Short mmCIF file of all heavy atoms in Angstrom, two decimals:
data_model
loop_
_atom_site.label_atom_id
_atom_site.label_comp_id
_atom_site.label_asym_id
_atom_site.label_seq_id
_atom_site.Cartn_x
_atom_site.Cartn_y
_atom_site.Cartn_z
N ASN A 29 57.49 166.83 79.82
CA ASN A 29 58.42 167.08 78.74
C ASN A 29 57.92 168.13 77.75
O ASN A 29 56.77 168.09 77.36
CB ASN A 29 58.76 165.84 77.95
CG ASN A 29 59.30 164.70 78.88
OD1 ASN A 29 60.23 164.95 79.60
ND2 ASN A 29 58.70 163.53 78.80
N VAL A 30 58.75 169.06 77.38
CA VAL A 30 58.40 170.13 76.44
C VAL A 30 58.19 169.46 75.09
O VAL A 30 59.05 168.73 74.54
CB VAL A 30 59.43 171.20 76.34
CG1 VAL A 30 59.05 172.29 75.27
CG2 VAL A 30 59.61 171.85 77.73
N ILE A 31 57.02 169.64 74.44
CA ILE A 31 56.76 169.06 73.14
C ILE A 31 56.50 170.13 72.11
O ILE A 31 56.48 169.84 70.89
CB ILE A 31 55.51 168.15 73.23
CG1 ILE A 31 54.28 168.89 73.74
CG2 ILE A 31 55.85 166.95 74.08
CD1 ILE A 31 52.96 168.11 73.69
N GLU A 32 56.31 171.38 72.49
CA GLU A 32 56.05 172.46 71.47
C GLU A 32 56.37 173.79 72.10
O GLU A 32 56.13 174.09 73.27
CB GLU A 32 54.56 172.41 71.06
CG GLU A 32 54.22 173.30 69.92
CD GLU A 32 52.78 173.12 69.46
OE1 GLU A 32 52.53 172.03 68.88
OE2 GLU A 32 51.98 174.03 69.63
N ILE A 33 56.99 174.64 71.23
CA ILE A 33 57.36 176.00 71.67
C ILE A 33 56.47 176.93 70.89
O ILE A 33 56.21 176.78 69.70
CB ILE A 33 58.82 176.31 71.36
CG1 ILE A 33 59.72 175.22 71.93
CG2 ILE A 33 59.25 177.65 71.84
CD1 ILE A 33 61.16 175.25 71.33
N ALA A 34 56.02 177.96 71.60
CA ALA A 34 55.21 179.01 70.90
C ALA A 34 56.06 180.28 70.79
O ALA A 34 56.78 180.65 71.68
CB ALA A 34 53.94 179.29 71.70
N ALA A 35 55.94 180.96 69.65
CA ALA A 35 56.71 182.19 69.46
C ALA A 35 55.89 183.12 68.54
O ALA A 35 54.94 182.71 67.84
CB ALA A 35 58.07 181.89 68.80
N GLU A 36 56.29 184.38 68.59
CA GLU A 36 55.70 185.40 67.69
C GLU A 36 56.85 185.97 66.86
O GLU A 36 57.96 186.09 67.32
CB GLU A 36 55.00 186.51 68.48
CG GLU A 36 53.75 186.00 69.26
CD GLU A 36 53.06 187.13 69.99
OE1 GLU A 36 53.68 188.23 70.08
OE2 GLU A 36 51.99 186.94 70.54
N TYR A 37 56.48 186.35 65.62
CA TYR A 37 57.55 186.86 64.71
C TYR A 37 57.26 188.30 64.43
O TYR A 37 56.15 188.79 64.58
CB TYR A 37 57.59 186.03 63.43
CG TYR A 37 56.67 186.41 62.33
CD1 TYR A 37 57.15 186.84 61.10
CD2 TYR A 37 55.28 186.36 62.49
CE1 TYR A 37 56.22 187.19 60.08
CE2 TYR A 37 54.38 186.65 61.48
CZ TYR A 37 54.92 187.12 60.27
OH TYR A 37 54.04 187.46 59.27
N ASP A 38 58.29 189.00 63.98
CA ASP A 38 58.19 190.36 63.56
C ASP A 38 58.04 190.39 62.05
O ASP A 38 59.02 190.13 61.32
CB ASP A 38 59.42 191.16 64.02
CG ASP A 38 59.41 192.62 63.55
OD1 ASP A 38 58.45 192.99 62.89
OD2 ASP A 38 60.38 193.35 63.79
N PRO A 39 56.90 190.72 61.50
CA PRO A 39 56.69 190.69 60.06
C PRO A 39 57.64 191.67 59.29
O PRO A 39 57.91 191.46 58.13
CB PRO A 39 55.22 191.03 59.87
CG PRO A 39 54.59 190.81 61.19
CD PRO A 39 55.65 191.06 62.21
N ASP A 40 58.15 192.68 60.03
CA ASP A 40 59.00 193.65 59.39
C ASP A 40 60.48 193.35 59.54
O ASP A 40 61.36 194.23 59.52
CB ASP A 40 58.74 195.06 59.99
CG ASP A 40 57.29 195.49 59.72
OD1 ASP A 40 56.78 195.24 58.61
OD2 ASP A 40 56.71 196.18 60.56
N SER A 41 60.77 192.06 59.76
CA SER A 41 62.20 191.66 59.95
C SER A 41 62.61 190.60 58.94
O SER A 41 63.49 189.82 59.16
CB SER A 41 62.38 191.17 61.37
OG SER A 41 61.65 190.00 61.59
N ARG A 42 61.90 190.60 57.77
CA ARG A 42 62.28 189.60 56.78
C ARG A 42 63.71 189.66 56.42
O ARG A 42 64.27 190.70 56.21
CB ARG A 42 61.38 189.81 55.54
CG ARG A 42 61.66 188.76 54.41
CD ARG A 42 60.76 188.96 53.20
NE ARG A 42 61.23 188.14 52.10
CZ ARG A 42 60.84 186.90 51.91
NH1 ARG A 42 59.95 186.34 52.71
NH2 ARG A 42 61.29 186.18 50.90
N GLY A 43 64.32 188.47 56.39
CA GLY A 43 65.77 188.40 56.13
C GLY A 43 66.60 188.43 57.41
O GLY A 43 67.82 188.23 57.39
N GLY A 44 65.92 188.70 58.55
CA GLY A 44 66.60 188.63 59.77
C GLY A 44 67.06 190.01 60.42
O GLY A 44 67.60 190.04 61.49
N ASP A 45 66.68 191.09 59.68
CA ASP A 45 67.07 192.40 60.15
C ASP A 45 65.83 193.26 60.47
O ASP A 45 64.98 193.39 59.59
CB ASP A 45 67.94 193.15 59.16
CG ASP A 45 69.32 192.47 58.99
OD1 ASP A 45 69.89 192.09 59.98
OD2 ASP A 45 69.79 192.35 57.84
N PRO A 46 65.67 193.74 61.69
CA PRO A 46 64.54 194.53 62.01
C PRO A 46 64.51 195.88 61.25
O PRO A 46 65.49 196.48 61.01
CB PRO A 46 64.66 194.79 63.55
CG PRO A 46 66.11 194.68 63.77
CD PRO A 46 66.65 193.65 62.83
N ALA A 47 63.33 196.27 60.86
CA ALA A 47 63.14 197.53 60.06
C ALA A 47 63.62 198.75 60.80
O ALA A 47 64.11 199.72 60.20
CB ALA A 47 61.67 197.68 59.60
N ASP A 48 63.43 198.76 62.15
CA ASP A 48 63.84 199.91 62.91
C ASP A 48 65.28 199.90 63.35
O ASP A 48 65.75 200.83 64.01
CB ASP A 48 62.93 200.09 64.15
CG ASP A 48 63.03 198.86 65.08
OD1 ASP A 48 63.88 197.97 64.83
OD2 ASP A 48 62.24 198.80 66.05
N GLY A 49 65.99 198.85 62.94
CA GLY A 49 67.45 198.82 63.23
C GLY A 49 67.82 198.47 64.66
O GLY A 49 68.96 198.60 65.04
N ARG A 50 66.83 198.02 65.41
CA ARG A 50 67.13 197.70 66.88
C ARG A 50 68.15 196.58 66.92
O ARG A 50 68.24 195.69 66.09
CB ARG A 50 65.87 197.34 67.59
CG ARG A 50 65.13 196.08 67.20
CD ARG A 50 63.84 195.93 67.93
NE ARG A 50 63.14 194.68 67.56
CZ ARG A 50 62.38 194.52 66.48
NH1 ARG A 50 62.19 195.59 65.69
NH2 ARG A 50 61.74 193.42 66.24
N LYS A 51 68.83 196.54 68.03
CA LYS A 51 69.82 195.51 68.26
C LYS A 51 69.15 194.18 68.76
O LYS A 51 68.28 194.25 69.60
CB LYS A 51 70.83 195.98 69.38
CG LYS A 51 71.96 195.02 69.58
CD LYS A 51 72.97 195.55 70.64
CE LYS A 51 74.12 194.61 70.83
NZ LYS A 51 75.08 195.13 71.86
N VAL A 52 69.60 193.12 68.14
CA VAL A 52 69.05 191.80 68.54
C VAL A 52 69.99 191.17 69.51
O VAL A 52 71.17 190.91 69.19
CB VAL A 52 68.87 190.93 67.27
CG1 VAL A 52 68.31 189.53 67.66
CG2 VAL A 52 67.91 191.55 66.27
N LYS A 53 69.50 190.87 70.67
CA LYS A 53 70.39 190.33 71.75
C LYS A 53 70.42 188.80 71.77
O LYS A 53 71.31 188.23 72.33
CB LYS A 53 69.87 190.84 73.08
CG LYS A 53 69.92 192.33 73.23
CD LYS A 53 69.43 192.77 74.63
CE LYS A 53 69.52 194.33 74.75
NZ LYS A 53 68.97 194.80 76.07
N GLY A 54 69.46 188.14 71.13
CA GLY A 54 69.43 186.70 71.15
C GLY A 54 70.30 186.04 70.03
O GLY A 54 70.92 186.77 69.20
N ALA A 55 70.41 184.75 70.09
CA ALA A 55 71.18 184.02 69.15
C ALA A 55 70.51 183.86 67.77
O ALA A 55 69.32 184.12 67.64
CB ALA A 55 71.48 182.64 69.73
N THR A 56 71.31 183.47 66.80
CA THR A 56 70.82 183.08 65.47
C THR A 56 70.63 181.56 65.47
O THR A 56 71.54 180.82 65.78
CB THR A 56 71.76 183.49 64.33
OG1 THR A 56 71.92 184.96 64.37
CG2 THR A 56 71.24 183.02 63.03
N LEU A 57 69.37 181.11 65.15
CA LEU A 57 69.03 179.71 65.19
C LEU A 57 68.81 179.12 63.85
O LEU A 57 68.26 179.82 62.94
CB LEU A 57 67.78 179.51 66.08
CG LEU A 57 67.78 180.27 67.45
CD1 LEU A 57 66.43 179.99 68.10
CD2 LEU A 57 68.92 179.77 68.33
N HIS A 58 69.17 177.91 63.68
CA HIS A 58 68.84 177.23 62.42
C HIS A 58 67.50 176.55 62.60
O HIS A 58 67.07 176.25 63.74
CB HIS A 58 69.93 176.25 61.99
CG HIS A 58 70.14 175.08 62.94
ND1 HIS A 58 70.85 175.22 64.07
CD2 HIS A 58 69.70 173.79 62.83
CE1 HIS A 58 70.90 174.04 64.69
NE2 HIS A 58 70.16 173.15 63.98
N TRP A 59 66.86 176.19 61.53
CA TRP A 59 65.48 175.70 61.60
C TRP A 59 65.19 174.98 60.29
O TRP A 59 65.89 175.07 59.23
CB TRP A 59 64.49 176.83 61.72
CG TRP A 59 64.68 177.91 60.65
CD1 TRP A 59 65.55 178.93 60.71
CD2 TRP A 59 64.06 177.99 59.40
NE1 TRP A 59 65.53 179.68 59.50
CE2 TRP A 59 64.58 179.11 58.69
CE3 TRP A 59 63.07 177.23 58.69
CZ2 TRP A 59 64.20 179.48 57.42
CZ3 TRP A 59 62.68 177.62 57.44
CH2 TRP A 59 63.25 178.70 56.81
N VAL A 60 64.09 174.26 60.28
CA VAL A 60 63.62 173.56 59.04
C VAL A 60 62.08 173.67 59.04
O VAL A 60 61.44 173.48 60.02
CB VAL A 60 64.03 172.09 59.01
CG1 VAL A 60 63.52 171.38 57.77
CG2 VAL A 60 65.56 171.92 59.06
N ASP A 61 61.55 173.96 57.86
CA ASP A 61 60.09 174.11 57.72
C ASP A 61 59.43 172.74 57.88
O ASP A 61 59.79 171.77 57.21
CB ASP A 61 59.82 174.63 56.26
CG ASP A 61 58.33 174.80 56.04
OD1 ASP A 61 57.55 174.78 57.02
OD2 ASP A 61 57.95 174.92 54.82
N ALA A 62 58.53 172.66 58.81
CA ALA A 62 57.89 171.38 59.12
C ALA A 62 57.09 170.80 57.94
O ALA A 62 56.94 169.66 57.79
CB ALA A 62 56.96 171.53 60.35
N ALA A 63 56.56 171.70 57.06
CA ALA A 63 55.76 171.29 55.96
C ALA A 63 56.60 170.58 54.88
O ALA A 63 56.02 169.75 54.14
CB ALA A 63 55.05 172.48 55.37
N THR A 64 57.80 170.85 54.78
CA THR A 64 58.67 170.34 53.69
C THR A 64 59.79 169.51 54.20
O THR A 64 60.60 168.92 53.39
CB THR A 64 59.15 171.42 52.77
OG1 THR A 64 59.95 172.33 53.53
CG2 THR A 64 58.01 172.18 52.09
N ALA A 65 60.07 169.44 55.46
CA ALA A 65 61.20 168.82 56.05
C ALA A 65 61.25 167.29 55.66
O ALA A 65 60.19 166.63 55.57
CB ALA A 65 61.25 168.91 57.54
N LEU A 66 62.44 166.71 55.56
CA LEU A 66 62.63 165.31 55.29
C LEU A 66 63.16 164.66 56.56
O LEU A 66 64.01 165.21 57.29
CB LEU A 66 63.64 165.11 54.21
CG LEU A 66 63.26 165.74 52.80
CD1 LEU A 66 64.44 165.62 51.84
CD2 LEU A 66 62.00 165.08 52.24
N ASP A 67 62.69 163.42 56.83
CA ASP A 67 63.24 162.65 57.93
C ASP A 67 64.61 162.09 57.53
O ASP A 67 64.83 161.73 56.38
CB ASP A 67 62.32 161.49 58.32
CG ASP A 67 61.07 162.00 59.07
OD1 ASP A 67 61.18 163.02 59.74
OD2 ASP A 67 60.03 161.35 58.91
N ALA A 68 65.50 162.02 58.53
CA ALA A 68 66.80 161.47 58.32
C ALA A 68 67.35 160.78 59.52
O ALA A 68 67.00 161.10 60.65
CB ALA A 68 67.79 162.58 57.81
N GLU A 69 68.24 159.82 59.29
CA GLU A 69 69.00 159.21 60.36
C GLU A 69 70.40 159.89 60.33
O GLU A 69 70.95 160.09 59.27
CB GLU A 69 69.16 157.74 60.13
CG GLU A 69 70.02 157.01 61.16
CD GLU A 69 70.19 155.54 60.80
OE1 GLU A 69 69.13 154.88 60.55
OE2 GLU A 69 71.36 155.04 60.88
N VAL A 70 70.90 160.27 61.51
CA VAL A 70 72.21 160.96 61.55
C VAL A 70 73.09 160.17 62.52
O VAL A 70 72.65 159.78 63.64
CB VAL A 70 72.08 162.43 62.06
CG1 VAL A 70 73.42 162.98 62.25
CG2 VAL A 70 71.32 163.21 61.05
N ARG A 71 74.32 159.86 62.01
CA ARG A 71 75.26 159.09 62.85
C ARG A 71 76.41 160.04 63.28
O ARG A 71 77.07 160.60 62.44
CB ARG A 71 75.80 157.87 62.03
CG ARG A 71 74.64 156.91 61.62
CD ARG A 71 75.13 155.90 60.58
NE ARG A 71 74.05 155.03 60.17
CZ ARG A 71 74.13 154.12 59.22
NH1 ARG A 71 75.25 153.95 58.59
NH2 ARG A 71 73.11 153.36 58.98
N LEU A 72 76.60 160.06 64.60
CA LEU A 72 77.61 160.96 65.17
C LEU A 72 78.73 160.03 65.63
O LEU A 72 78.53 159.11 66.44
CB LEU A 72 77.04 161.73 66.37
CG LEU A 72 75.82 162.59 66.04
CD1 LEU A 72 75.37 163.29 67.33
CD2 LEU A 72 76.05 163.60 64.93
N TYR A 73 79.94 160.30 65.13
CA TYR A 73 81.07 159.45 65.47
C TYR A 73 82.04 160.17 66.37
O TYR A 73 82.32 161.36 66.33
CB TYR A 73 81.80 159.04 64.14
CG TYR A 73 80.95 158.23 63.26
CD1 TYR A 73 80.24 158.77 62.16
CD2 TYR A 73 80.84 156.84 63.46
CE1 TYR A 73 79.48 158.01 61.30
CE2 TYR A 73 80.04 156.10 62.63
CZ TYR A 73 79.38 156.66 61.58
OH TYR A 73 78.55 155.86 60.74
N ASP A 74 82.72 159.35 67.21
CA ASP A 74 83.79 159.80 68.05
C ASP A 74 84.93 158.80 67.88
O ASP A 74 84.81 157.82 67.14
CB ASP A 74 83.32 159.87 69.52
CG ASP A 74 84.22 160.74 70.37
OD1 ASP A 74 85.27 161.17 69.91
OD2 ASP A 74 83.85 161.03 71.52
#
């Protein structure tokens, strides 16, 4: 089972836009900082 993903970031893309204006082909992902994240229970209803 996958337990951890490794990635590299572009330091010149702060805010989500690359400095050289290149086109980003991947999706926009939401995230939460592990250092400050809060645990929560979430209930999904149908």
